[in-house]
Amino acid sequence: MAAFVGALKKLSICLILWLNTLPFLQGGSDYYEFKYPFIKRASSFWASSSSFSSSNTDEASYDYIIVGGGTAGCPLAATLSQNFSVLVLERGGVPFSNVNVSFLSNFHIALADTSPTSASQPFVSTDGVINARARVLGGGTCINAGFYTRANSGFIRRVGWDERLVNESYPWVEKQIIHQRKLAQWQGAFKDSLLDVGVSPYNGFTYDHIHGTKVGGTLFDRFGRRHTAAELLASATPKMLTVLVYATVQKVLFDQTGRRPMAMGVIFKDENGNQHQAFLTNNRRSEVILSCSAIGTPQMLILSGIGPKAELDKLNISMVLRNEFVGKGMADNPMNSVFVPTNRPVEQSLIQTVGITKMGVYIESSSGFGQSQDSIRCHHGILSAEIGQLSTIPPKQRTPEAIQAFIKRKRDLPHEAFKGGFILEKIARPISTGHLNLVNTNIDDNPSVTFNYFHHPHDLQRCVDGIRMAAKVIQSKHFTNFTRCDKSTVEKLLNMSVKANINLIPKHTNDTKSLEQFCKDTVITIWHYHGGCHVGKVVDPDLKVLGTNRLRIVDGSTFNESPGTNPQGTVLMMGRYMGVKILRRRLGKAAHV
């Protein structure tokens, strides 16, 4: 009888999983059109694009136009639509019908898909580090590793946010799309090893950022299905919201007849290349809100005529407002990894456990993304490798010899090497910063981005400390017992890691002997780049663009640092937080939020 009940239970779980995935397997169109009737293709936009009038009062005007339906844009739109008309313009498609986006097991394949309509748009920084930016409704929540955590309390104080409203906004997100998954065996061994090397205390499962070892939340449910920011649109008021996908905004339109340039609307193109214009209502509190990410928002400002004079002149862009700080102070949290060999196959796991150290380094881990034949030669999970970015902007240090060596290292890697995983160490608050510059005026092309990894010696020292700790974790009895591998020397671990590393920076013969050189040569990203539109330089504390009217920015481009071990939770919260803040300031208690 017990066996029968157990079998029935397994069958029920399989049926639930099948029913949950059915909309995706069927293409997802009917599913999302039923649940999200306000999501339409950009070509369906009927408004005339032939002329502009500052007295525009027809039905094509909106209280808020949000450029970018990503991690912040979706919760922001859902919130504002409770009281006002909102138009969201997203350059990518929907995530619902994309199985590579929707399932944990396909995480590495989503990153490897670099076709023009994929959810992931690759770019290579001038430092030689391969990176990606989202191009899909839901933004980075569609292509990231899914780990969810709140910001450290110091970050909230430093940005000057209302802590009470912050603590109301996080749960609004968490109740809808965040999950607690069963801890993978690999992550359990990693947790025990962190505690063994002194990253304590153990704080269990928590969203909070606390020193020690913890297990965080995730976008992936127990079936391994991803839930994204796009699903937060289900909280919207449908009749007040229009979301256009494949709508690529080319610039913000301004009325420059007054003392300060005033945002009036935007120009965008649809999936067929046809041009459209969308306008704000005449109300002085209506706004264009940029939520295009730390790469897209500075790019959009410059294309709209707001930026450094030399940059605007170089590209022959008519100046709307001079601001020398747009695109400056770009930062990315450098990450380095140490390969963990194993003599046993391990399940796929993305970030679940994290060690939050007091030396400004976070230690994380992933496993099991090298077991499928379609991925072993070209991409290795969270360290997504040789995926077609070699034709993008040449980084400063890339040479033909370096490219050939890079390709050879990937080709020569044995299949057995990726039965294991990686220990990842990330610098918490890098001091090193860089800049963003446009290459041309085509919004579809990536700008040139420089992060200047390890330019400051303090960043380099923290990386060295982090690599030493990662090696100790791998050498812990908990990991050696789990992987069934003998305790390796640090030099042997680093040697394997250099061979597995995927960036376009030339390697040196002393990579395995000098931890400083190892850090410089094997630096990669964990996609936590930020900055370019800092508070006090480009926006005010309410995130309104300085020197303009009716233009605001709500995304990570305003951050001086990446919050917590992973920024997505805070960016999701930021969308809700700013939406509520805007409604309360405009309507008071009548906002009912």
Side-chain angles (χ1 to χ4, degrees), residues 543-585:
L543 307 185
K544 295 179 180 180
V545 176
L546 294 167
T548 71
N549 291 328
R550 305 207 305 178
L551 182 61
R552 195 188 300 253
I553 296 172
V554 180
D555 61 30
S557 69
T558 64
F559 292 170
N560 285 311
E561 61 183 280
S562 180
T565 57
N566 187 298
Q568 79 161 342
T570 303
V571 177
L572 285 162
M573 179 277 294
M574 180 190 199
R576 171 65 176 179
Y577 174 95
M578 289 304 301
V580 171
K581 189 174 180 180
I582 290 169
L583 292 182
R584 287 179 179 176
R585 289 213 172 166

Side-chain angles (χ1 to χ4, degrees), residues 11-85:
L11 180 61
S12 299
I13 291 174
C14 289
L15 181 60
I16 292 170
L17 175 59
W18 181 77
L19 289 172
N20 272 287
T21 60
L22 187 59
F24 301 104
L25 298 177
Q26 290 178 330
S29 177
D30 294 339
Y31 166 76
Y32 86 76
E33 287 174 3
F34 172 76
K35 192 171 182 180
Y36 309 96
F38 42 77
I39 300 177
K40 300 175 172 38
R41 283 181 171 257
S43 56
S44 69
F45 189 71
W46 61 269
S48 170
S49 60
S50 60
S51 63
F52 164 71
S53 170
S54 60
S55 61
N56 183 58
T57 57
D58 63 23
E59 293 179 295
S61 60
Y62 300 87
D63 295 306
Y64 294 96
I65 297 175
I66 299 175
V67 182
T71 308
C74 286
L76 177 65
T79 303
L80 291 175
S81 73
Q82 293 179 40
N83 298 95
F84 295 100
S85 61

Side-chain angles (χ1 to χ4, degrees), residues 186-201:
W186 176 278
Q187 299 289 332
F190 175 53
K191 175 201 72 175
D192 292 337
S193 297
L194 283 172
L195 295 171
D196 195 39
V197 301
V199 187
S200 58

Side-chain angles (χ1 to χ4, degrees), residues 195-377:
L195 295 171
D196 195 39
V197 301
V199 187
S200 58
Y202 178 54
N203 296 306
F205 176 84
T206 179
Y207 295 141
D208 293 334
H209 183 97
I210 312 169
H211 284 118
T213 295
K214 68 169 239 182
V215 176
T218 177
L219 293 172
F220 294 100
D221 63 24
R222 63 193 179 112
F223 300 117
R225 194 184 77 181
R226 183 191 294 271
H227 297 265
T228 75
E231 294 179 35
L232 297 174
L233 294 172
S235 299
T237 303
K239 66 179 182 179
M240 301 296 283
L241 179 62
T242 301
V243 177
L244 298 182
V245 292
Y246 302 113
T248 304
V249 175
Q250 294 166 305
K251 69 175 182 177
V252 179
L253 296 169
F254 292 95
D255 180 348
Q256 299 184 67
T257 59
R259 186 172 59 89
R260 292 153 58 107
M262 180 173 68
M264 300 299 294
V266 298
I267 296 177
F268 69 95
K269 64 179 180 179
D270 63 27
E271 70 273 18
N272 299 318
N274 296 320
Q275 300 277 338
H276 304 272
Q277 294 181 349
F279 299 106
L280 294 173
T281 65
N282 281 332
N283 192 298
R284 63 185 178 84
R285 291 192 170 183
S286 295
E287 292 179 335
V288 172
I289 304 177
L290 303 182
S291 293
C292 316
S293 85
I295 305 298
T297 292
Q299 180 184 26
M300 183 63 63
L301 280 180
I302 296 170
L303 287 174
S304 302
I306 299 177
K309 184 179 186 303
E311 186 95 349
L312 297 171
D313 289 345
K314 178 185 71 174
L315 297 169
N316 199 27
I317 298 172
S318 178
M319 182 185 295
V320 172
L321 181 69
R322 180 175 179 175
N323 187 320
E324 298 297 322
F325 296 108
V326 175
K328 301 299 192 297
M330 297 292 297
D332 187 24
N333 299 75
M335 186 177 78
N336 295 77
S337 64
V338 181
F339 173 63
V340 186
T342 177
N343 287 327
R344 58 186 291 189
V346 293
E347 65 181 311
Q348 293 176 331
S349 74
L350 290 170
I351 314 298
Q352 287 183 280
T353 304
V354 60
I356 301 174
T357 73
K358 293 184 178 180
M359 59 183 178
V361 174
Y362 305 137
I363 311 292
E364 302 173 350
S365 186
S366 70
S367 68
F369 278 86
Q371 296 176 42
S372 59
Q373 285 300 125
D374 64 338
S375 69
I376 193 58
R377 281 186 176 267

